[in-house]
Amino acid sequence: MLAPTDRYYQLAQSINQIQSLQRNLAKSFVTQQRGYFSLIEYLTIGVMVLDQDQKIYLSNHAMSELMEREMNLPGEIYANELRNYDLSRLIEKTYQTKKEQHAEIKLDFNNKIVDSHIVFVPVSHHHFLVMVLLYDITELKEIEQMQLDFVSNVSHELKTPITAITGFSETLLNGAADDPTALKEFLKIIHQESQKLTALVEDILSLARISANAELKTDQISLFPYLQEIIQTFKPEIDKKQIRIFNEVPPAFKIVVDYNKFRHVVNNLLQNAIKYNDPTGSVWLSSTQFSKTWEFKVRDNGWGIANDQRERIFERFYRIDTSRSKQTGGTGLGLSVVKEYVAAMGGTIKVTSQVGVGSEFTVTLPLIQKRKQDSGVKQA
């Protein structure tokens, strides 16, 4: 230490202050750098920073997951580590043009689709970095494709009844209405096609309501009278085919469920059990309660479903490809709507079936406690 009277004392003090400031700046820089690195590491998008020599400066975990290999390899040439030609070409274009590049790229080794931004970052007059940002949009693309497929399928399904209604009505207007036999036959076809059109629109609206009303509105119901009331709504179809319905639910069986959603499930399953059944066939409704769940079953001795089609019946617009099934009509949306309603209530649905023997649909739902604000049992 120099004495205050030393002629170099002030100079030494200044040097000490500069060194102290330098240490503080270096410490602050390291702290900020660690913060930036931590932030990048926890980003859900893939990030890789390259230096002007095309070497990896840093890369986060999300980038390694997208590339399905370790990418945080400082000092390695990026072209040796990337396995996708389109992405490498996009990065190379950024180095050549010194401009940002953007494109959707499919990673052929895992079939993921990424939204790629390659950003040119000038640091100084002679120094720059290139930042690679990859956002996984695979799920978004799948949803987009599902929406396109849905619109395409709906358009196709709407076209058939509309074409029939238009064609037969034009035929009647062009003179066929004067023929009593043709008039009756054509009006019958127009009526049938209009019913198909109505059913399709109702099923589409049901799908929309599922998405719009995700919240459950539960009530405690007595299941036996609830089912009896629904059975009565199908009396014309039941009487026409002389179907026997056996409601085997215990009279005292009570359950808490979303009244309207569950009604839609029962309506559809019962309708199918009647529709895809032979005259004088039978349908059984039953329920079982377990410690945490309860089951509702609809069993019939109707046509049954082939093994290769059983897994697909819950797909939208899928219809069993048999001559008898085609004659019954249907939109191909009913069971997909049922599956979504059951899922909205936190449950599952499965089917066991054998051609010529019949089918059994089992809906499993969680037991829900009666809400305090419920004043009583909601009867059908």
Side-chain angles (χ1 to χ4, degrees):
M1 292 290 295
L2 296 178
T5 55
D6 192 292
R7 61 176 180 172
Y8 296 111
Y9 178 78
Q10 291 297 331
L11 178 61
Q13 288 291 93
S14 298
I15 293 173
N16 288 337
Q17 289 176 358
I18 292 173
Q19 288 178 336
S20 178
L21 178 62
Q22 186 181 28
R23 284 194 298 270
N24 290 336
L25 288 173
K27 184 178 179 181
S28 177
F29 173 77
V30 170
T31 301
Q32 284 186 333
Q33 189 179 48
R34 287 175 179 172
Y36 292 142
F37 287 173
S38 297
L39 176 63
I40 290 173
E41 182 60 29
Y42 285 102
L43 288 175
T44 57
I45 64 172
V47 180
M48 182 168 63
V49 179
L50 310 174
D51 63 23
Q52 61 188 27
D53 296 322
Q54 301 191 0
K55 294 180 180 180
I56 298 173
Y57 179 65
L58 64 90
S59 180
N60 70 349
H61 181 67
M63 177 65 75
S64 297
E65 283 194 334
L66 283 172
M67 293 294 108
E68 295 187 351
R69 61 181 302 179
E70 181 58 52
M71 294 301 299
N72 192 18
L73 303 169
E76 297 293 328
I77 301 294
Y78 83 88
N80 296 334
E81 306 304 326
L82 287 181
R83 295 180 178 179
N84 186 271
Y85 172 76
D86 291 333
L87 182 57
S88 296
R89 187 176 62 175
L90 204 64
I91 295 172
E92 185 61 32
K93 191 173 182 179
T94 304
Y95 274 101
Q96 293 173 356
T97 63
K98 292 182 170 44
K99 292 182 180 178
E100 178 180 337
Q101 304 296 321
H102 175 235
E104 287 183 8
I105 291 175
K106 184 175 182 179
L107 304 178
D108 45 17
F109 52 86
N110 58 13
N111 291 323
K112 287 185 178 292
I113 301 173
V114 293
D115 185 61
S116 310
H117 281 268
I118 317 300
V119 184
F120 181 81
V121 184
V123 178
S124 65
H125 187 67
H126 300 290
H127 184 61
F128 66 87
L129 298 172
V130 170
M131 183 175 291
V132 181
L133 306 173
L134 301 184
Y135 178 55
D136 187 357
I137 58 172
T138 308
E139 188 174 341
L140 293 176
K141 285 296 178 180
E142 289 174 352
I143 293 172
E144 184 180 295
Q145 187 59 49
M146 288 172 60
Q147 291 173 334
L148 291 173
D149 291 342
F150 182 76
V151 171
S152 176
N153 288 329
V154 168
S155 300
H156 176 75
E157 295 294 332
L158 287 172
K159 185 177 180 180
T160 303
I162 289 174
T163 300
I165 293 170
T166 303
F168 284 106
S169 61
E170 286 180 352
T171 304
L172 290 173
L173 289 172
N174 289 333
D178 298 330
D179 183 347
T181 303
L183 175 62
K184 185 177 180 180
E185 183 65 25
F186 288 0
L187 286 177
K188 181 180 178 182
I189 294 172
I190 290 173
H191 177 66
Q192 290 174 341
E193 295 300 325
S194 66
Q195 285 183 316
K196 291 180 184 178
L197 194 59
T198 300
L200 178 60
V201 171
E202 287 178 350
D203 282 341
I204 293 171
L205 290 175
S206 294
L207 287 172
R209 283 194 290 268
I210 294 171
S211 301
N213 301 308
E215 183 180 352
L216 294 180
K217 298 179 180 179
T218 58
D219 290 290
Q220 188 181 64
I221 64 170
S222 292
L223 190 57
F224 183 88
Y226 176 89
L227 296 176
Q228 285 297 114
E229 192 275 331
I230 294 175
I231 291 170
Q232 285 301 309
T233 65
F234 289 98
K235 193 173 187 303
E237 294 94 327
I238 293 171
D239 291 344
K240 183 178 180 180
K241 296 184 72 173
Q242 297 182 355
I243 300 292
R244 293 173 297 174
I245 308 292
F246 299 95
N247 186 354
E248 298 179 340
V249 173
F253 192 90
K254 294 181 175 65
I255 205 70
V256 177
V257 73
D258 187 302
Y259 188 92
N260 293 322
K261 285 183 172 63
F262 187 63
R263 186 183 183 91
H264 190 101
V265 170
V266 176
N267 273 337
N268 192 280
L269 295 179
L270 183 56
Q271 182 182 53
N272 285 349
I274 296 169
K275 182 188 294 184
Y276 302 109
N277 209 329
D278 293 317
T280 70
S282 300
V283 177
W284 295 265
L285 308 179
S286 62
S287 63
T288 309
Q289 182 170 321
F290 302 98
S291 60
K292 295 183 179 180
T293 61
W294 68 282
E295 287 182 349
F296 170 69
K297 293 185 178 183
V298 179
R299 180 169 63 90
D300 64 69
N301 59 353
W303 304 347
I305 306 165
N307 291 339
D308 59 339
Q309 296 181 318
R310 201 176 302 150
E311 296 300 320
R312 300 196 60 193
I313 60 174
F314 295 105
E315 295 178 12
R316 293 181 180 181
F317 297 105
Y318 183 79
R319 283 179 284 196
I320 297 174
D321 188 19
T322 66
S323 58
R324 289 196 296 182
S325 296
K326 289 179 179 178
Q327 291 171 3
T328 61
T331 65
L333 279 175
L335 285 176
S336 67
V337 173
V338 166
K339 185 177 181 181
E340 294 202 30
Y341 268 118
V342 171
M345 292 186 286
T348 59
I349 183 170
K350 65 178 182 179
V351 58
T352 56
S353 185
Q354 185 176 342
V355 175
V357 177
S359 303
E360 181 179 78
F361 287 84
T362 303
V363 175
T364 304
L365 294 169
L367 282 175
I368 302 175
Q369 296 298 318
K370 182 182 175 183
R371 297 177 301 175
K372 291 182 179 180
Q373 61 266 35
D374 290 338
S375 58
V377 176
K378 186 169 184 177
Q379 299 287 349

